[in-house]
Amino acid sequence: MVARAVLIAAAASGQGKTTVTAALARKLASAGRRVRVFKCGPDFIDPMVLARACGSPVESLDLWMVGAERCRALLAEAAEQADAILVEGVMGLYDGTPSAADLSREFGLPVLAVIDAGAMAQTAGALVHGLRDYGPVAMAGVVANRIASAGHAAMVAASLRDIPLLGTLPKQAASLPERHLGLVLPDEVAGLDALLDTLAGQLTLDLAAWDALPIMSIAAGADAAAGNGAPGRPLEGSRIAIARDAAFMFLYPANLSTLEALGAQLDYFSPLADEPVPREATAVYLPGGYPELHAPALSTGQRWQASLRAAHADGLPIVAECGGMMALADSLQDKEGNDWPMAGLLPGKVAMQARLAGLGAQAMPTAQGPLRGHTFHYSRLETSVPAAATTQKHPSGAAGEAVYRVGSLQASYFHGYFPSNPAAVAALFLRSAA
């Protein structure tokens, strides 16, 4: 086990954490290092970009949603495979319950602080020392983003005193594009790999200081990273049809591995290409995504809509999360106010809005105990269907998202993290649960 690991964090969102993490991953990989990257907290889009940067899947780490035991197993597994482990934080270092700082302390991950130095010089030292001492946390060093010159970098470095400046990035002419739920999807960005190479080339990195960082010391617990204590293989013989294309792509890799560990065979289909649910399917999973960006094409897709209505009429369990639920409503209104007919399994209308409608960690009650996950959406559903259950917000315990059940369909804005309760997940996809 020779991996060096850091938690890449900042004082707030928008400082360049993802850009720095992607650039550092690509630079280390280009230097021949074996790199693994993780994302702190619930996220779908940043991990896709980071996976392109490092060349391997990116899993989530979160002390509440994922759990300390599984986080430990994932980190220990990565340390056996990699020379460098990068964990991108979420929001500001101390934001959230639990926070990125809590993760740092739990696993002894020193913090690599990203600062936006575009409008500061010596004040960088006060900021970084405050980040270190408030917790406190161990500080591996600093990457200063949007540095204007060598002189600017020298002033920042001097202000840090006993904390090393490991790297700098200049002001970028081109950056990772964003939209309302975060970064634009990797396949939608022309020349993404060239952009990542450019960012890696622009990142000055003190490799000697990197190599001086301590070796990560962590051992896995009894829990296996892939199975997470899955209750046997209750989905043996099941074939779960999963919508997967540019409109439906918000999928935790761990959700897929959990379904497979439970015994299910996974088949994929593309509603955007008007592909029907595979005939052999025993259940359907419609994950979140961006159906609002593809509403015209989805609205004219007769085969995918008809196949879902037929699956519903046959009593196949259908699990729809966020964007998947939006596509099953009667209609979807985009940001321009255009109404598009959808599959119509869930009576009601979905409308996009400018303001965030739901955000944060939540847990869905089930007969097998809570299934943990999160919510993040800019649309609202107007429906006459009463909520069959309501998620609980973490940590407040307040009421969260409605969970709707119409026959064999379960739909909600809630995104479940399947390894948090494999038994509950198995029940969702068994016909007897419908």
Side-chain angles (χ1 to χ4, degrees):
M1 188 182 299
V2 294
R4 290 176 172 83
V6 294
L7 180 112
I8 299 173
S13 297
Q15 308 300 293
K17 293 192 303 292
T18 303
T19 297
V20 168
T21 305
L24 180 56
R26 182 59 67 98
K27 193 173 193 78
L28 289 171
S30 298
R33 312 296 173 89
R34 297 170 300 164
V35 183
R36 284 291 307 276
V37 182
F38 294 91
K39 173 64 181 178
C40 180
D43 200 321
F44 295 110
I45 304 176
D46 285 6
M48 296 181 197
V49 175
L50 297 174
R52 285 284 285 271
C54 71
S56 61
V58 174
E59 296 263 11
S60 296
L61 297 180
D62 183 270
L63 291 174
W64 182 77
M65 185 182 80
V66 178
E69 191 175 3
R70 178 173 168 82
C71 286
R72 188 178 304 279
L74 289 168
L75 286 168
E77 180 184 65
E80 295 290 344
Q81 303 168 350
D83 306 309
I85 297 174
L86 311 179
V87 181
E88 186 196 341
V90 58
M91 300 183 293
L93 175 59
Y94 294 100
D95 295 330
T97 306
S99 67
D102 292 326
L103 192 77
S104 166
R105 289 190 290 264
E106 178 74 22
F107 301 113
L109 298 171
V111 173
L112 181 59
V114 175
I115 60 168
D116 181 352
M120 71 172 73
Q122 289 91 341
T123 303
L127 174 62
V128 173
H129 278 260
L131 287 174
R132 182 190 66 181
D133 298 341
Y134 179 81
V137 294
M139 189 65 70
V142 174
V143 173
N145 192 20
R146 303 186 181 103
I147 287 291
S149 66
H152 184 195
M155 286 188 285
V156 170
S159 76
L160 298 177
R161 299 177 181 170
D162 60 329
I163 300 173
L165 181 65
L166 261 64
T168 63
L169 260 179
K171 296 178 180 179
Q172 296 107 44
S175 58
L176 299 172
E178 299 185 31
R179 63 162 62 103
H180 57 282
L181 292 185
L183 297 176
V184 172
L185 300 175
D187 291 342
E188 299 178 64
V189 182
L192 176 61
D193 286 301
L195 174 57
L196 291 169
D197 287 337
T198 297
L199 291 171
Q202 291 176 332
L203 175 66
T204 64
L205 177 66
D206 187 339
L207 269 174
W210 173 267
D211 288 337
L213 293 175
I215 300 297
M216 182 178 188
S217 177
I218 190 167
D223 181 26
N228 198 42
R233 294 174 65 84
L235 293 180
E236 192 76 59
S238 298
R239 300 186 65 150
I240 300 176
I242 302 177
R244 196 174 198 182
D245 55 30
F248 306 96
M249 84 306 291
F250 290 172
L251 271 165
Y252 291 116
N255 282 15
L256 303 181
S257 62
T258 297
L259 291 173
E260 290 177 326
L262 289 166
Q265 178 177 325
L266 308 184
D267 296 327
Y268 299 94
F269 70 105
S270 169
L272 197 52
D274 201 17
E275 294 176 355
V277 173
R279 291 183 179 179
E280 302 82 5
T282 61
V284 182
Y285 179 24
L286 293 174
Y290 283 122
E292 67 273 20
L293 300 180
H294 304 278
L298 291 171
S299 69
T300 59
Q302 299 301 310
R303 297 175 69 210
W304 80 268
Q305 293 189 36
S307 69
L308 272 165
R309 288 191 286 265
H312 189 236
D314 288 345
L316 267 66
I318 301 174
V319 178
E321 297 179 338
C322 200
M325 178 181 73
M326 294 162 64
L328 298 186
D330 289 326
S331 67
L332 170 56
Q333 185 180 86
D334 61 24
K335 291 191 295 182
E336 288 72 38
N338 302 307
D339 287 305
W340 304 96
M342 291 289 126
L345 273 64
L346 178 62
K349 173 181 178 179
V350 172
M352 297 300 300
Q353 61 182 36
R355 294 182 59 186
L356 190 63
L359 171 67
Q362 301 189 9
M364 183 179 73
T366 77
Q368 295 77 26
L371 174 65
R372 295 181 175 184
H374 81 287
T375 184
F376 186 17
H377 59 99
Y378 277 82
S379 69
R380 290 193 179 277
L381 169 67
E382 296 179 4
T383 179
S384 59
V385 178
T390 304
T391 62
Q392 278 193 326
K393 296 180 180 181
H394 174 79
S396 70
E401 299 291 354
V403 180
Y404 302 101
R405 296 193 181 103
V406 179
S408 61
L409 167 66
Q410 175 172 294
S412 177
Y413 277 115
F414 171 77
H415 296 273
Y417 183 74
F418 290 180
S420 70
N421 193 332
V425 171
L428 285 176
F429 290 97
L430 288 170
R431 183 181 283 266
S432 60

